């Protein structure tokens, strides 16, 4: 019956959507109807309202959608959806203020003289509008009203012209900032949590180990990372569109002729080009640059974009007046003032302590006030002229409400889908497919492409993604990143705007296109662009660094970059270290040999031993690193024969686990049935079949598997052991020597305590023990902050305890004090000797290995190292051999 009500859910939704019922109400309506029918049927015929649900009851599933949606807004770290109304406002404001129209006209005059120039200009402007607005309807309508008549008038093929405009209008869905990317990031944040749990369970089932190394875990994503990941694929798509139009125009000039600019390309013309292009490009730089540079979050960047759009609209709507550009100039000057203050002063009001700090705060306050005046001034202008601001706000509210109502409806639909076991059904179907991840992925992509013929991008993103994303992300063989999966789905969803019968870009264009452009011509025109989108999807799928590199680069170069000891960086770091050692012509080994020849006897005994061991560990680390790569080559050589057997056995074991789960459920049901129930016999027969099937599956596991697995496990263990030994030796080779040098660097501060330490004797002898104890304790703590002062600190600590006792023992305290003095004198001696005998050699040694063997001990990565890590980790690494 669960499958029956699942079918009711899907058919009800399909009927509602097909009949033209609003999507925002079709989704939750289908969920409420199906859950209500299941509850009523269960109450009448099943003995309870929860009889026909996979788990739980109707109350749980009716409230699940709203609870999940509410959780999105109450969790601070999941606030990315707040950016949606800000970007919607920005896009509508730029469209209503005719800035989009100016861009189209200017670019058409600039590109027109080359073959296919008008079409290329439409693509170029579509990309600019995508990077500033992301509002598909506004972009398509604007370009349809302005460019389509011009293209037709100049002899362009109706199919090419309409296809170019419709496809260019969809660029806003993949070029950031994009609403679909924000929604996908939000959905994938939840999906990665589920995928992480599934991968940990798989690792435990496969290896028997209770915990999975964090290096194998699934990494989450954010809206900022999605923006960065989609940036290059978006440019690839723009390049493909332009290349197609250019080639088409060269092959068939009559379909896309060059259009000569009738005016003169004089200083006025180029000034107009600059004034039209620079403001939108500056806004793109502020919005995307602030995200890429780590200066602003996606929400903050949305606020920047909304404010910038209003200032641009303020001067565009007042064009021709003397004071046209005054608010914009005031805003620019204010931003420069704020930037100057931030770069030159400490702008923390609470920490203000000097006149200079007060000056910086004052300058920043003037800049902020100026910016606020510019915003208010522009807002008043936009409100007064044709009531533009009210219209933009109303349209923003309507669009935002629609998005969030669809999100709520989709959350309810997804909850109902899970209530009837739909999610588990999809999971079982995908996991049972032969061919592993790529078969699953291709089928999911095909389903999303097919759904794009009928559903909007929001429905696909919030209904399909939560179901399939955890399954795809959990696969250790592909080991894909969440941002790559999100961009791939985003590129795929983009086709939904062009695919008939419900291609929204086609609807928008049809509404403004002249009657001479037939609908069939529009459908023909978008076919090539749909093919280009799928081709771009293939390019990005085959070369993941197109998506992964830029987010990695920004992350590794930021102030919040992961430390070098981060587990996920270790394989790439070892590749880097190996390459550096191979390219240094033996300088590192020579430095190690030189350090081994130093006489460490001048150091304290414990330190001498640790430093000597550290230098020897450096040589051992290089040997273990070479062993690790030799072992890795052995694993790679053996994996060709081992991997097919691993997939076969893991597949059989997965089927066994599924059958055992089903068997457990049947045994539970059997235990609940009355002894005289007529269903017992059939159920017992099913149990016998399941047990026989499990035995049959277990018999399919090759007899040689245990031996093969054990042999391969020894190879992987040898590699892991060598890598772990390399890491331990590398850390020791740097850390202990660095501690010794740090102690030498503290010599001046160390000697500074001598006078205070010697003067302490008189206080101990004559002072009040309790007061003296506090002085000794304070001195002990301050000396203890320096390196290699444990002996002094320990002796002072004992003296303090003698003074702190119920019956203070001053004589014993003085005895311990004398030991502290003796230790201090010994420290002076070895520090003086080490300064000349060891410091130069140890400094040379550390400077030589700090970028290789000492890399893990550094506080952060250098630019060169960060770029290498970004490139290396941008590729997906198969980790299935560890499962």
């Amino acid at each position: 019956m669960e499958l029956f009500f699942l079918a009711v859910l899907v058919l009800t939704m399909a009927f509602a959507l097909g009949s033209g019922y609003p999507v925002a109400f079709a989704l939750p309506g289908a969920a409420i109807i199906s859950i209500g029918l299941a509850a009523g049927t269960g109450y009448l015929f099943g003995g309870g309202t929860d009889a026909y649900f996979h788990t739980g009851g109707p109350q749980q599933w009716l409230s699940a959608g709203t609870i999940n949606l509410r959780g999105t807004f109450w969790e601070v770290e999941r606030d990315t959806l707040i950016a949606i109304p800000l970007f919607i406002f920005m896009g509508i404001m730029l469209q209503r203020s005719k800035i989009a129209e100016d861009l189209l006209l200017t670019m058409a005059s600039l590109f027109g003289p080359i073959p296919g120039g008008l079409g290329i200009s439409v693509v170029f402007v579509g990309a600019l509008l995508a990077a500033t607005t992301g509002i598909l309807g506004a972009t398509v309508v604007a370009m349809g009203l302005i460019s389509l008549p011009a293209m037709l008038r100049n002899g362009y093929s109706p199919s090419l012209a309409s296809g170019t405009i419709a496809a260019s209008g969809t660029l806003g869905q993949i070029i950031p900032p994009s609403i679909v990317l924000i929604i996908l990031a939000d959905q994938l944040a939840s999906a990665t949590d589920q995928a992480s749990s599934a991968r940990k369970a798989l690792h435990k089932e496969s290896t028997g180990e209770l915990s999975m190394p964090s290096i194998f875990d699934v990494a989450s994503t954010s809206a900022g990372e999605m923006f960065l990941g989609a940036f290059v694929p978006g440019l690839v798509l723009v390049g493909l569109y332009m290349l197609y139009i250019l080639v088409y125009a060269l092959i068939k000039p009559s379909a896309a002729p060059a259009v000569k600019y009738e005016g003169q390309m004089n200083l006025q013309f180029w000034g107009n080009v600059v004034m039209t292009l620079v403001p939108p490009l500056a806004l793109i730089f502020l919005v995307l640059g602030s995200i890429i540079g780590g200066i602003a979050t996606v929400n903050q960047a949305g606020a920047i974009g909304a404010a910038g759009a209003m200032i641009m609209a303020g001067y565009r709507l007042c064009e021709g007046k003397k004071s046209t550009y005054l608010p914009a100039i005031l805003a620019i000057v204010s931003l420069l003032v704020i930037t100057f203050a931030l770069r030159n002063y400490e702008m923390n009001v609470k920490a203000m302590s000097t006149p200079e700090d007060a000056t910086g705060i004052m300058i920043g306050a003037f800049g902020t006030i100026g910016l606020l005046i510019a915003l208010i001034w522009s807002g008043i202008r936009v409100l007064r002229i044709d009531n533009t601001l009210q219209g933009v706000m109303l349209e923003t509210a309507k669009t935002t409400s629609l998005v969030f109502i669809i999100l709520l409806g989709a959350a309810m639909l997804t909850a109902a889908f899970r209530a009837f076991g739909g999610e588990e059904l999809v999971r079982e179907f995908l996991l049972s497919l032969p061919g592993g991840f790529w078969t699953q992925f291709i089928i999911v992509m095909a389903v999303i492409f097919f759904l794009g013929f009928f559903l909007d991008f929001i429905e696909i993103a919030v209904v399909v993604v939560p179901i399939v994303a955890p399954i795809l992300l959990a696969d250790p063989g592909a080991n894909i990143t969440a941002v790559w999966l999100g961009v791939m789905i985003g590129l795929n969803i983009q086709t939904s705007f062009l695919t008939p019968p419900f291609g929204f870009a086609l609807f928008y264009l049809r509404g403004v296109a002249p009657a001479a452009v037939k609908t069939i011509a529009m459908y023909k025109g978008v076919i090539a662009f749909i093919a280009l989108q799928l081709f771009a999807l293939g390019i990005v799928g085959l070369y993941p660094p197109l998506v992964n590199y830029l987010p990695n680069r920004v992350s590794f170069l930021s102030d919040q970059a992961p430390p070098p000891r981060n587990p996920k960086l270790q394989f790439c770091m070892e590749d880097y270290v190996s390459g550096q050692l191979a390219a240094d012509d033996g300088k590192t080994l020579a430095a190690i040999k030189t350090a081994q020849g130093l006489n460490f006897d001048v150091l304290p005994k414990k330190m001498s031993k640790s430093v000597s061991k550290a230098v020897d560990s450096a040589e051992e680390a290089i040997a273990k690193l070479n062993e690790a790569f030799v072992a890795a080559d052995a694993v790679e050589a053996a994996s060709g024969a081992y991997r097919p057997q691993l997939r076969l056995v893991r597949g059989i074991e997965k089927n066994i686990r599924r059958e055992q789960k089903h068997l457990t459920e049947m045994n539970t049901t059997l235990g609940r049935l009355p002894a005289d129930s007529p269903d017992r016999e059939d159920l017992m027969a099913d149990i016998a079949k399941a047990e026989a099937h499990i035995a049959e599956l277990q018999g399919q596991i090759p007899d040689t598997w245990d031996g093969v697995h054990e042999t391969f496990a020894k190879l992987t263990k040898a590699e892991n052991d060598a890598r772990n030994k390399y890491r331990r030796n590398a850390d020791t080779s740097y850390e202990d020597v660095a501690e010794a040098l740090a102690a030498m660097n503290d010599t001046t501060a160390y000697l500074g305590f001598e006078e205070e330490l010697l003067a302490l004797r008189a206080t101990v002898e004559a002072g009040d023990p309790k007061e003296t104890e506090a002085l000794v304790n304070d001195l002990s703590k301050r000396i203890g902050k320096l390196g290699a002062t444990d002996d002094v600190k320990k002796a002072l600590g004992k003296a303090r305890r003698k003074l702190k006792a119920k019956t203070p023992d001053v004589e014993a305290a003085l005895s311990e004090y004398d030991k502290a003095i003796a230790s201090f004198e010994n420290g002076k001696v070895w520090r003086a000797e080490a300064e000349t005998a060891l410091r130069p050699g140890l400094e040379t040694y550390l400077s030589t290995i700090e970028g290789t063997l000492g890399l893990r001990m550094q506080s952060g990565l250098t630019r060169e190292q960060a770029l290498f890590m970004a490139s290396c980790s941008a590729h997906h690494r198969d980790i299935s051999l560890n499962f």
Side-chain angles (χ1 to χ4, degrees), residues 476-478 635-650 705 708 712 877-882:
V635 170
E636 182 63 28
S639 65
Y642 175 74
R643 198 184 300 276
Q645 296 181 66
L646 176 69
R647 288 175 177 168
L648 172 66
V649 174
R650 295 301 183 227
W705 166 246
V708 170
F712 191 82
R877 179 174 168 268
D878 182 358
I879 59 173
S880 61
L881 295 177
N882 298 281

Side-chain angles (χ1 to χ4, degrees), residues 808-832:
D809 189 343
V810 176
E811 290 300 324
L814 286 171
S815 175
E816 296 298 338
Y817 169 80
D818 290 337
K819 293 179 182 178
I821 292 293
S823 297
F824 188 86
E825 292 298 326
N826 289 336
K828 288 171 57 180
V829 172
W830 75 255
R831 287 169 190 269

Side-chain angles (χ1 to χ4, degrees), residues 552-561 861-864 866-867:
N552 288 347
R553 179 190 174 103
V554 172
S555 173
F556 293 147
L557 290 175
S558 71
D559 293 335
Q560 294 78 35
L861 299 170
T862 65
R863 181 177 180 82
E864 176 193 353
L867 294 179

Side-chain angles (χ1 to χ4, degrees), residues 147-191:
S147 295
L148 186 57
M151 295 173 81
L152 296 176
R153 189 169 56 249
N154 286 284
Y156 268 68
S157 160
S159 61
L160 177 63
S162 58
T164 300
I165 292 171
S168 300
T170 68
L171 289 171
Q173 300 310 302
I174 196 63
I175 294 179
S178 161
I179 294 173
V180 67
L181 293 177
I182 296 174
I183 294 174
L184 283 171
D186 180 72
Q187 298 298 319
L188 287 168
S190 298

Side-chain angles (χ1 to χ4, degrees), residues 534-745:
L534 295 177
F535 182 60
L537 191 68
I539 293 174
V540 176
L542 292 173
Y543 194 64
L546 287 174
V547 174
N548 294 329
Y549 176 74
L550 194 54
N552 288 347
R553 179 190 174 103
V554 172
S555 173
F556 293 147
L557 290 175
S558 71
D559 293 335
Q560 294 78 35
R565 293 180 70 93
N566 187 297
K568 288 187 174 292
L569 298 181
Q570 299 313 303
F571 283 95
C572 287
M573 282 182 55
E574 282 149 21
D575 288 344
Y576 174 81
V577 171
S578 178
Q580 292 296 109
L581 292 175
D584 73 352
D585 297 325
K587 291 180 182 178
T588 301
L589 276 173
I592 294 170
K593 292 294 185 185
T594 301
Q596 287 174 335
L598 296 174
N599 180 16
F600 301 120
D601 292 340
V602 299
L603 299 173
K605 185 175 181 181
K606 185 177 178 181
M607 182 184 288
S608 173
K609 184 177 180 181
S610 64
V611 171
S612 178
K613 180 182 177 183
V615 175
D616 291 338
S617 294
E619 191 172 17
E620 180 70 10
I622 294 175
K624 290 301 177 184
L625 184 61
N626 293 332
E627 281 184 26
F629 281 103
V630 171
D633 291 340
V635 170
E636 182 63 28
S639 65
Y642 175 74
R643 198 184 300 276
Q645 296 181 66
L646 176 69
R647 288 175 177 168
L648 172 66
V649 174
R650 295 301 183 227
I652 294 172
E653 289 175 345
K654 179 175 66 178
N655 293 332
I656 290 173
R657 287 193 295 270
R658 185 165 58 243
E659 284 296 321
Q660 286 175 335
K661 181 180 178 182
H662 183 47
L663 179 62
T664 301
E665 292 172 353
M666 289 191 293
N667 280 320
T668 302
T669 305
L670 182 64
R672 293 174 178 173
L673 287 177
D676 57 348
S677 174
D679 295 331
R680 287 184 66 87
E681 187 174 340
D682 291 339
L683 191 56
M684 290 175 68
D686 291 339
I687 290 173
K689 288 180 182 178
E691 289 173 342
H693 189 208
I694 290 172
E696 180 185 350
L697 288 171
Q698 289 173 337
Q700 293 176 8
I701 297 177
D703 295 335
T704 58
W705 166 246
D706 289 338
V708 170
H709 178 61
E710 184 178 347
T711 301
F712 191 82
K714 289 179 180 178
L715 294 176
T716 56
K717 185 176 184 302
E719 181 189 354
N720 291 333
D721 287 347
R723 289 185 184 275
N724 289 330
K725 288 177 180 177
Y726 156 74
R727 293 164 193 167
R728 285 195 297 271
N729 281 290
D731 293 351
T732 301
S733 70
Y734 186 89
E735 186 175 27
D736 291 346
V737 176
E739 287 180 0
L741 265 179
M744 296 180 202
N745 293 335

